[in-house]
């Protein structure tokens, strides 16, 4: 499971980077205010990165607690 989440985290980070690049290009090239969904291109992967990153961050600590108590 951990291997799958690491791979997921890597791919979502690529999507986040592309979303930020698209967001920046659209903001600087548009004449008016860009559409609302343009901002979500980077925001949705960011939340996925938050959850998967917190999980990956906690893994060593949870494993250590299991070794100590078990």
């Amino acid at each position: 499971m951990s291997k799958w989440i690491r791979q997921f985290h890597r791919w979502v980070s690529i999507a986040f980077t592309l979303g930020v690049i698209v967001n920046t290009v659209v903001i600087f090239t548009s004449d008016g205010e860009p559409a609302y969904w343009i901002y979500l291109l980077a925001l949705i992967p960011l939340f996925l990165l938050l959850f998967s990153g917190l999980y990956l961050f906690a893994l060593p600590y949870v494993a250590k607690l299991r070794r100590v108590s078990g």
Side-chain angles (χ1 to χ4, degrees):
M1 171 100 164
S2 174
K3 184 177 178 181
W4 183 85
I5 291 181
R6 286 183 201 284
Q7 192 67 28
F8 174 78
H9 190 79
R10 289 182 189 129
W11 282 105
V12 172
S13 68
I14 293 170
F16 173 72
T17 304
L18 292 175
V20 169
I21 291 169
V22 168
N23 199 345
T24 305
V25 168
V26 167
I27 288 172
F28 285 118
T29 59
S30 67
D31 294 332
E33 184 71 22
Y36 178 74
W37 63 269
I38 293 292
Y39 298 112
L40 296 178
L41 285 176
L43 195 59
I44 292 171
L46 183 62
F47 283 118
L48 294 172
L49 283 173
L50 172 69
F51 295 127
S52 62
L54 286 173
Y55 174 81
L56 292 171
F57 178 78
L59 274 179
Y61 299 106
V62 172
K64 184 178 180 181
L65 285 174
R66 286 184 183 167
R67 272 187 264 126
V68 170
S69 67

